[in-house]
């Protein structure tokens, strides 16, 4: 069973001056079911998560995070969370050359790319495999609705 931050839920109940029985009454559940849920012995459903957030007067994100016992998102997979400020503050490489189709070298039936040091690297077959599969006409507005009548419930007269 996932580790839930039980202490956080009990603290929020105390901050509100409510008991576990008050929460159970609000949710129309048996107090033992709510106790098992907040102790991690029973899973919390999405509907129960919504009810708890409403009762505790906290955001749904807070309850979702605390029911997992830790941070949500990429951090769960040991990937660093996205930090826009750090990225904006980090020095950006200037004059970095982007690799294009014009840089491909064809030899011996294979495709290669030359590094700045002159070394040839074989390209993965995935590179360029989708080229030419989609053409967007110049007069196509990609921001326009695909079907202007979508969601229309009445006729214009």
């Amino acid at each position: 069973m996932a580790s839930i931050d039980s202490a956080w839920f009990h603290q929020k109940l105390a901050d509100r001056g409510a008991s576990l029985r008050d929460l159970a009454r609000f949710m129309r559940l048996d107090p033992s079911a709510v106790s098992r849920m907040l102790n991690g012995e029973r899973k919390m459903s999405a509907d129960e998560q919504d009810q708890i957030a409403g009762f505790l007067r906290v955001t749904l994100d807070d309850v979702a995070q605390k029911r997992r016992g830790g941070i949500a998102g990429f951090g769960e997979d040991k990937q660093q969370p996205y930090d826009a400020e750090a990225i904006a503050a980090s020095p950006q490489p200037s004059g970095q050359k982007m690799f294009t189709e014009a840089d491909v070298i064809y030899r011996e039936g294979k495709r290669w790319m030359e590094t700045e040091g002159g070394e040839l690297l074989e390209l993965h077959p995935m590179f360029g495999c989708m080229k030419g599969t989609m053409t967007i006409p110049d007069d196509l507005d990609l921001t326009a609705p695909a079907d202007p009548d979508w969601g229309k419930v009445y006729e214009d007269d």
Side-chain angles (χ1 to χ4, degrees), residues 2 9 35-36 38 40-41 49 54 61 63 76 109 111-112 116 122 132 142 145 147 152 156:
F9 285 98
S35 176
R36 289 193 323 271
L38 295 184
E41 299 166 11
Q49 178 178 280
D61 289 341
V63 175
E76 292 173 353
R111 298 175 311 151
W112 304 82
E116 289 182 11
E122 185 177 355
L142 294 175
D147 181 4
K152 191 173 187 179
D156 293 331

Side-chain angles (χ1 to χ4, degrees), residues 14-27:
D15 292 347
R16 187 157 185 262
S19 68
L20 192 127
R21 289 189 175 278
D22 295 330
L23 176 61
R25 195 173 309 113
F26 175 80
M27 296 176 70

Side-chain angles (χ1 to χ4, degrees), residues 40-69:
E41 299 166 11
R42 173 184 172 278
K43 286 188 175 182
M44 182 186 302
S45 72
D47 186 46
E48 291 168 342
Q49 178 178 280
D50 295 348
Q51 291 177 337
I52 291 171
F55 182 80
L56 296 178
R57 297 181 185 133
V58 296
T59 67
L60 190 56
D61 289 341
D62 286 341
V63 175
Q65 180 180 354
K66 298 302 180 177
R67 82 182 251 201
R68 288 188 203 98

Side-chain angles (χ1 to χ4, degrees), residues 75-129:
E76 292 173 353
D77 295 329
K78 297 184 173 85
Q79 179 176 343
Q80 293 298 319
Y82 179 75
D83 186 357
E85 292 175 6
I87 291 171
S90 66
Q92 299 297 319
S94 60
Q96 183 177 3
K97 182 177 181 265
M98 298 302 292
F99 181 65
T100 66
E101 183 68 27
D103 297 322
V104 176
I105 301 167
Y106 295 92
R107 270 194 205 150
E108 304 163 6
K110 295 181 179 180
R111 298 175 311 151
W112 304 82
M113 171 184 114
E114 186 175 357
T115 65
E116 289 182 11
E119 180 185 359
L120 286 180
L121 300 175
E122 185 177 355
L123 291 176
H124 190 277
M126 182 63 80
F127 179 80
C129 72

